[in-house]
Amino acid sequence: MRPRPTSAAGIYSDRTLESWDAPAAAAALWERAHHLQERLDYWERRAKSAEARMLAHDCQEEQ
């Protein structure tokens, strides 16, 4: 069983990952990548929403 992350973000040092067996280290890295992908998707949706609002506002000014 692998230890829990020492930080809230779940970031492990290379030294920590190297001390674990390969499946545990791979699982920790996969979990981190999955979390980062979720954050990326969230901010991408926010950016598209903001852009749509900005464009809608610009169109209203032109009319």
Side-chain angles (χ1 to χ4, degrees):
M1 176 171 223
R2 72 182 164 84
R4 289 189 120 356
T6 55
S7 70
I11 300 172
Y12 302 98
S13 70
D14 288 344
R15 182 176 290 174
T16 300
L17 289 171
E18 289 170 0
S19 70
W20 297 347
D21 61 356
L29 291 172
W30 185 90
E31 288 173 12
R32 182 68 180 150
H34 181 71
H35 173 74
L36 291 173
Q37 185 63 51
E38 287 177 336
R39 288 181 56 199
L40 175 71
D41 293 345
Y42 168 80
W43 286 110
E44 184 177 27
R45 287 190 309 272
R46 291 279 310 261
K48 287 179 180 178
S49 175
E51 182 180 23
R53 287 192 311 273
M54 181 183 69
L55 292 173
H57 180 73
D58 287 346
C59 289
Q60 289 174 359
E61 287 182 357
E62 292 175 3
Q63 293 177 0

